[in-house]
Amino acid sequence: MFLRRLVRTNPRLAEAAVTLHREGRLSANTYLIDLDGLRANTEITVEAARRHGLGLYVMSKQFGRNPDALRTIASAGLDRAVCVDLQDMEAVQRAGTRVGHVGHLVQPHLGAEDAVVAAGPEVVTVFTEETAARIGSAAARAGRVQPVLLRVRGPEDRYYFGHAGGFPIGAVEEAAGRVEALDGVTVTGVTNFPCMLASADTRTIEPTRNFATLVEAAERLRAAGFTITQVNAPGTTSSGTFERQAAYGATHVEPGNGLHGTTPLHVFDDTQPEVPVIVYVSEVSHLDGGDAYVFAAGYYIDKVLGEYRLTALVGPDLREYEVETAPDGAIHYYCAIKNARGVRPGDTVVFCFRPQVFVTRGRTRAVAGIRSGDLDLRGSHDAEGRPIHGVA
């Protein structure tokens, strides 16, 4: 989806991938992250957020919680993370990044409360009073009061499968009062998801009904006397969406793919300033007749804009080929290049799509210096940000 934008705006990343792979320094099934480009994208994001008065939490699951990437993002001014699950929280802590937000989208499970509170998050999202009580008990044991966000939902809100839940908007004041009465917690804001979504029809990023529910909840709680300082509006976020999110009433947003230039807005609008800074690097495993098979354990299908034509750059000359993938539900062992004339086993293959590394079997590595040609390749990490020793 982003391959031609990569070639147009950041071709040296593809060239670096080929060089490192051919030199034997970079293994197949690795996401390669351009640290210099990531720093530039983050600086753009931080400045845009400042102009629009928005707080930021980085979402790192898309790039596999890579610690070199997290440290680069922090040094560029975005030093707080949202942790989509507890593994995310652990990876963020290992990288030395501040934990900003825990509990959204995945609630802390039983027994995790003390670790969550000990991580020192600015906010914890709770979907229920029961979760709020568990977090409050842990906070009380630690001698602190933990600010929480209420996950709110309206009758017309729409969710991805498995994402539903939260406090009904119709009785949000009463629910907030019950949570506020618990020991160890205080209600400081609200959140919902997705608050922004891509529209293939209008080729824009549009506010959802969920966003309207979020803003209504904040207004109602403020009218009821609650001090609401955070209206957290995640979903399809990049610097190009900030003006609209702030105008609708958001105080905080959570960029992830926006930091590596792979949101739908970057498909719709070629003037968006963030460039692609992450590629999936693989190699041709073998040929079968006229077809070539490419290692694909880290490949990820994202149908946020429906079906689209997938291509990859292959070989030392980075020739573009169309690629076929396994059907939904199948394990991605290989992708296939049909009628792969001129392709040989061992050839480098470079993909550029909208990643979600944490749900794959892929590795991540970061590289600095691609613009100078002095490639500084960092260590290998698994999809949860842990260092890999042995195979690079």
Side-chain angles (χ1 to χ4, degrees), residues 51-343:
R51 288 198 311 271
H52 297 295
L54 292 172
L56 294 175
Y57 299 125
V58 55
M59 178 67 83
S60 65
K61 65 184 177 72
Q62 291 98 335
F63 56 82
R65 297 120 180 202
N66 179 280
D68 296 301
L70 276 167
R71 286 189 281 268
T72 293
I73 290 167
S75 68
L78 206 178
D79 64 350
R80 298 172 297 172
V82 51
C83 302
V84 73
D85 55 25
L86 295 181
Q87 292 87 347
D88 209 348
M89 185 182 81
E90 293 163 357
V92 163
Q93 290 176 298
R94 285 195 300 269
T97 296
R98 293 168 57 193
V99 175
H101 179 193
V102 178
H104 197 230
L105 297 161
V106 181
Q107 289 279 272
H109 55 69
L110 285 169
E113 304 85 5
D114 290 316
V116 168
V117 170
E122 293 182 0
V123 291
V124 175
T125 286
V126 294
F127 286 35
T128 65
E129 292 173 41
E130 291 80 5
T131 301
R134 290 193 288 110
I135 295 297
S137 294
R141 288 193 294 273
R144 59 171 294 191
V145 175
Q146 175 62 56
V148 297
L149 306 183
L150 303 185
R151 203 327 172 84
V152 294
R153 67 170 302 174
E156 298 178 11
D157 292 357
R158 300 183 66 181
Y159 298 94
Y160 300 111
F161 176 81
H163 287 204
F167 296 91
I169 185 67
V172 69
E173 298 93 340
E174 293 86 348
R178 291 192 295 271
V179 172
E180 187 70 28
L182 295 168
D183 289 339
V185 293
T186 185
V187 176
T188 194
V190 288
T191 190
N192 202 352
F193 177 85
C195 292
M196 304 285 285
L197 280 179
S199 169
D201 294 331
T202 64
R203 296 184 67 79
T204 58
I205 310 300
E206 300 283 355
T208 64
R209 186 65 187 80
N210 303 41
F211 203 156
T213 295
L214 175 69
V215 171
E216 179 186 346
E219 292 172 347
R220 288 173 58 164
L221 290 176
R222 285 168 176 153
F226 292 90
T227 302
I228 299 301
T229 59
Q230 184 163 158
V231 182
N232 189 298
T236 321
T237 297
S238 66
S239 67
T241 66
F242 289 173
E243 181 176 8
R244 204 167 186 187
Q245 287 170 291
Y248 271 75
T251 65
H252 289 69
V253 293
E254 299 179 345
N257 289 98
L259 294 173
H260 37 85
T262 58
T263 78
L265 186 58
H266 295 86
V267 175
F268 299 151
D269 181 0
D270 200 46
T271 68
Q272 291 302 303
E274 300 93 346
V275 303
V277 295
I278 185 169
V279 292
Y280 176 54
V281 184
S282 191
E283 72 182 52
V284 175
S285 165
H286 59 278
L287 305 179
D288 181 54
D291 302 333
Y293 286 83
V294 177
F295 295 112
Y299 180 73
Y300 172 78
I301 296 176
D302 189 338
K303 295 185 176 179
V304 66
L305 294 178
E307 300 291 344
Y308 62 88
R309 176 173 169 264
L310 178 69
T311 62
L313 303 176
V314 182
D317 57 351
L318 293 172
R319 182 178 175 187
E320 186 174 356
Y321 289 84
E322 192 160 350
V323 179
E324 293 185 359
T325 65
D328 290 353
I331 298 172
H332 280 80
Y333 294 112
Y334 299 98
C335 292
I337 302 173
K338 298 295 186 179
N339 302 313
R341 294 177 182 173
V343 174

